[in-house]
Amino acid sequence: MIELRNVTKSYPNGVHALNRISLSIEDGEFIYIIGPTGSGKSTIIKILNGEEVPDSGTVVVDGINVGALKHRKVPYYRRNIGCIFQDYRLLPKLTVQENIAFALEVLGISKKKIRKRVTEILDLVDLKEKARAYPDELSGGQQQRVTIGRAIANKPKLLIADEPTGNLDPEKSKEIMELLEKINAMGTTVLMVTHDIVLVEKFKKRTVTLDQGFVVKDSKKGGYVSL
Amino acid sequence: MKRILNLFLYELKYAFRGIRKHLVLSFSAISSMAVSVFLIGCFLLIGIHVDHFAANVQQDMQIHVVLDSNLTSQDEIDSMEKKIKKIDNVETVIFSSKDDELELMIREKGEAFSQYRGQENPLSHAFFVVVKESSMIEETAAEIETLEGVDSTAFGGSSVTELIHLMDVVRKAGYVLSALLLILSLYLIYNTIRTTIYSRQDEINIMRTVGATDSFIRTPFEVQGILIGLLGALIPFLLVYFGYPILYERMNGVLFASLFSLIDSSTIRYIVGFGMLGCGLFVGFFASFFAVRKTIKAKR
Ligand SMILES: Nc1ncnc2c1ncn2[C@@H]1O[C@H](COP(=O)(O)OP(=O)(O)OP(=O)(O)O)[C@@H](O)[C@H]1O
Ligand SMILES: [Mg+2]
């Protein structure tokens, strides 16, 4: 599903965010990416969804060379991957249900089908009573769940999540993890960036550890092992 | 196909929202647009009327050619007519006998002249010459006057030509002002759309990250511009559509004199009314098209 080969990325300010990263992720896998702040986790996400282009190396997702995509083709590529952003990226002037619907409207799906799917999603992320609220009327955790809902609305093959439990209490984090596992069980590959070591220990998965832009550990056995 | 229709309906929805969310800006753009389009419509109204008057006057422009009083035989009259017809700018030549001339005089100057009816008619035979190009009438009259056997020439309406001249200046000035107003309103909508785009740059980037194509993002802004243009044109359109017939009635269909007959309401509704709507559409479309293309710089 995902194939990173010698991916290097530095930002215009000279920060080397990623250094010769090679990573191979199979279809249907659930994988964590962990590491200290500034280690390049979000940069991997941005490279995977086509927002940033690697300086060198190749990124292939589901057979598509993401770095080589034309500007015009990028939105079409994104429709097959769900992305949960660390900073939510909700449309401020749309309500919760409109935000989720938006990701389906861009596909040209009929109103009726969208309404049905949005109801399902709201149920799934437990936001039914907030359907008509605007993002700025929600708590961080609620906004996070809207982002998750929007990311999975189109039943993507790959879900990439940047700190999806970052603003949730342990109880809600557990619920989100169970939700992500459920999505994973339905065949979606899940790549999740997290800080939450407790979660990583509890829901054991393959874990890749980044530090200063290098992969310092890739444990298929799971669990977090300190360096 | 269904998919494209759905996409368009969603784009339309976001266009209307855009207007609603920027109501004050949209409203001021619409009202300035209305003023500009109204003025353009007025200039158009003046312009086509000047054309219309000029055509009317042109029909009425003829030279009265009075022959020498000793020129009386039919042969002399015929050869005179031929000579006049040879002149370039002459369209038709109509003979007016001295009796006809007297009747005209009586009609114009009063019954006092009726005493000359019969043998005592002191007038000469004459021609009425209709010219092809009214602006050349003076030269043509002078040329006819040089012909032997012509006593004098006169043409009505040198004051009319001056008036037409003046109106022509007004019309040209109107076209120049219309062009300026057109540019102004283009800039107005361009700026309105640009401002809304700037204030929503973050949203535009978010839309792209959740799979919206550039055209899905752009179309609502373009539709918004077209709507501003059309709504702005609608107000002056209604004014002309319902106002002109009232004006026409009040003026009894003429301006000052019957020579300046006003154009009937249905023609004006058609030309000026739809001209203004077309103007709004054109301005709205082009302004927003360029604003969108120049301003939306989505990230990858
Ligand atoms: N747009 C940018 N321009 C310049 N530098 C950037 C940019 N984005 C990230 N960086 C830098 O690149 C490095 C990696 O950033 P990244 O966001 O990938 O870290 P992260 O692992 O996600 O951190 P966190 O856990 O705090 O989210 C950091 O040093 C950061 O300052
Ligand atoms: Mg991050």
Side-chain angles (χ1 to χ4, degrees):
Chain A
M1 174 56 83
I2 300 177
E3 191 72 49
L4 298 179
R5 231 171 290 135
N6 285 326
V7 173
T8 298
K9 174 72 192 175
S10 54
Y11 286 106
N13 59 2
V15 176
H16 293 279
L18 296 177
N19 297 301
R20 303 179 66 80
I21 300 278
S22 289
L23 202 57
S24 178
I25 301 165
E26 302 298 318
D27 270 15
E29 251 190 283
F30 195 130
I31 178 172
Y32 293 121
I33 295 188
I34 61 170
T37 178
S39 57
K41 304 182 299 292
S42 294
T43 304
I44 287 197
I45 299 271
K46 285 177 187 158
I47 278 180
L48 286 175
N49 85 350
E51 224 173 293
E52 296 288 354
V53 180
D55 301 336
S56 65
T58 51
V59 185
V60 178
V61 177
D62 200 20
I64 296 163
N65 184 347
V66 183
L69 275 177
K70 288 201 180 85
H71 182 90
R72 193 165 51 82
K73 297 277 187 195
V74 174
Y76 295 99
Y77 161 72
R78 286 191 180 132
R79 292 170 181 188
N80 298 313
I81 58 168
C83 200
I84 301 167
F85 302 99
Q86 196 170 9
D87 52 355
Y88 317 137
R89 304 207 189 165
L90 297 173
L91 292 162
K93 286 166 191 156
L94 300 186
T95 62
V96 167
Q97 58 183 6
E98 287 166 347
N99 259 287
I100 295 168
F102 187 86
L104 299 169
E105 285 173 349
V106 299
L107 305 169
I109 296 173
S110 76
K111 225 175 178 162
K112 217 170 111 191
K113 281 190 189 143
I114 290 180
R115 205 176 299 140
K116 188 163 158 281
R117 182 69 181 144
V118 169
T119 314
E120 282 171 23
I121 299 280
L122 287 173
D123 218 16
L124 203 62
V125 296
D126 193 23
L127 276 172
K128 258 188 174 155
E129 68 288 356
K130 291 288 178 191
R132 287 186 160 72
Y134 287 91
D136 60 4
E137 298 163 358
L138 300 177
S139 72
Q142 287 165 336
Q143 291 187 49
Q144 189 115 49
R145 281 183 278 148
V146 182
T147 322
I148 295 169
R150 183 178 60 184
I152 61 175
N154 188 31
K155 301 179 176 160
K157 281 194 225 167
L158 168 67
L159 184 66
I160 50 180
D162 199 348
E163 310 260 6
T165 60
N167 283 292
L168 305 180
D169 56 43
E171 186 57 33
K172 279 275 181 285
S173 297
K174 205 176 136 255
E175 278 175 31
I176 293 295
M177 278 310 295
E178 280 161 3
L179 176 61
L180 292 180
E181 283 195 315
K182 201 156 106 193
I183 293 160
N184 179 236
M186 291 190 287
T188 301
T189 310
V190 178
L191 181 149
M192 171 172 160
V193 165
T194 185
H195 265 130
D196 192 338
I197 290 148
V198 179
L199 267 190
V200 176
E201 288 291 354
K202 194 165 177 184
F203 298 84
K204 290 195 167 36
K205 315 276 179 202
R206 176 181 171 193
T207 306
V208 171
T209 312
L210 285 185
D211 194 12
Q212 296 188 1
F214 291 97
V215 174
V216 292
K217 191 170 171 56
D218 181 354
S219 160
K220 293 216 178 189
K221 289 169 222 88
Y224 176 79
V225 183
S226 132
L227 283 166
Chain B
M1 208 52 225
K2 183 87 187 343
R3 204 179 64 85
I4 293 171
L5 181 71
N6 282 335
L7 280 173
F8 183 68
L9 289 177
Y10 296 136
E11 286 162 353
L12 213 59
K13 176 177 87 177
Y14 288 111
F16 276 109
R17 271 169 183 257
I19 290 188
R20 266 221 328 268
K21 298 275 175 193
H22 295 88
L23 205 57
V24 176
L25 191 64
S26 305
F27 184 77
S28 68
I30 288 170
S31 42
S32 329
M33 191 65 200
V35 174
S36 296
V37 171
F38 180 71
L39 289 175
I40 291 173
C42 288
F43 292 135
L44 190 62
L45 196 66
I46 293 171
I48 61 177
H49 268 104
V50 169
D51 276 343
H52 179 68
F53 295 158
N56 275 355
V57 168
Q58 200 135 341
Q59 276 168 11
D60 282 26
M61 293 277 260
Q62 45 191 8
I63 305 168
H64 189 215
V65 180
V66 179
L67 302 179
D68 283 340
S69 56
N70 56 13
L71 215 147
T72 50
S73 77
Q74 192 59 44
D75 282 353
E76 285 170 315
I77 291 166
D78 286 348
S79 76
M80 198 67 219
E81 185 172 339
K82 273 186 201 125
K83 273 190 227 160
I84 295 174
K85 267 188 175 157
K86 270 196 198 121
I87 294 171
D88 260 352
N89 195 28
V90 171
E91 175 86 15
T92 47
V93 179
I94 302 150
F95 179 64
S96 169
S97 73
K98 63 186 199 178
D99 293 336
D100 296 336
E101 290 286 289
L102 183 62
E103 293 308 317
L104 274 176
M105 196 170 213
I106 294 166
R107 229 186 305 149
E108 269 177 32
K109 306 217 163 122
E111 280 299 312
F113 290 90
S114 59
Q115 56 174 309
Y116 294 113
R117 277 203 180 108
Q119 291 306 312
E120 269 143 275
N121 183 351
L123 298 176
S124 315
H125 294 307
F127 288 112
F128 282 104
V129 175
V130 178
V131 295
K132 289 177 187 151
E133 182 53 62
S134 61
S135 59
M136 296 286 287
I137 196 161
E138 211 168 331
E139 289 83 345
T140 309
E143 198 174 340
I144 292 171
E145 203 161 336
T146 60
L147 292 175
E148 200 162 325
V150 172
D151 178 63
S152 66
T153 61
F155 54 94
S158 67
S159 58
V160 172
T161 28
E162 262 166 43
L163 196 59
I164 291 283
H165 237 74
L166 188 73
M167 286 200 270
D168 200 45
V169 171
V170 171
R171 177 180 63 167
K172 280 185 182 133
Y175 286 160
V176 171
L177 283 172
S178 293
L180 288 177
L181 281 168
L182 212 61
I183 293 167
L184 189 77
S185 46
L186 267 166
Y187 182 72
L188 188 86
I189 293 189
Y190 177 86
N191 220 25
T192 306
I193 298 298
R194 215 178 51 168
T195 310
T196 50
I197 290 173
Y198 278 143
S199 73
R200 300 179 57 193
Q201 197 66 56
D202 291 343
E203 285 176 61
I204 288 168
N205 287 329
I206 294 173
M207 289 177 193
R208 240 185 100 82
T209 60
V210 294
T213 57
D214 284 353
S215 83
F216 190 89
I217 296 169
R218 283 170 177 170
T219 309
F221 290 108
E222 285 166 359
V223 171
Q224 208 176 316
I226 291 171
L227 282 176
I228 290 175
L230 270 183
L231 288 176
L234 191 67
I235 300 160
F237 172 81
L238 293 177
L239 265 176
V240 167
Y241 196 88
F242 295 108
Y244 184 79
I246 296 171
L247 192 78
Y248 187 87
E249 284 302 314
R250 286 271 167 81
M251 315 265 287
N252 290 319
V254 296
L255 186 69
F256 315 131
S258 59
L259 190 60
F260 300 121
S261 68
L262 294 176
I263 301 172
D264 65 287
S265 300
S266 60
T267 311
I268 289 298
R269 278 176 167 176
Y270 198 74
I271 297 177
V272 179
F274 289 99
M276 290 191 304
L277 282 185
C279 190
L281 189 74
F282 167 87
V283 168
F285 177 74
F286 277 96
S288 53
F289 183 86
F290 286 116
V292 161
R293 237 127 280 240
K294 267 207 81 126
T295 321
I296 292 189
K297 294 255 180 347
K299 283 202 226 152
R300 204 175 126 93

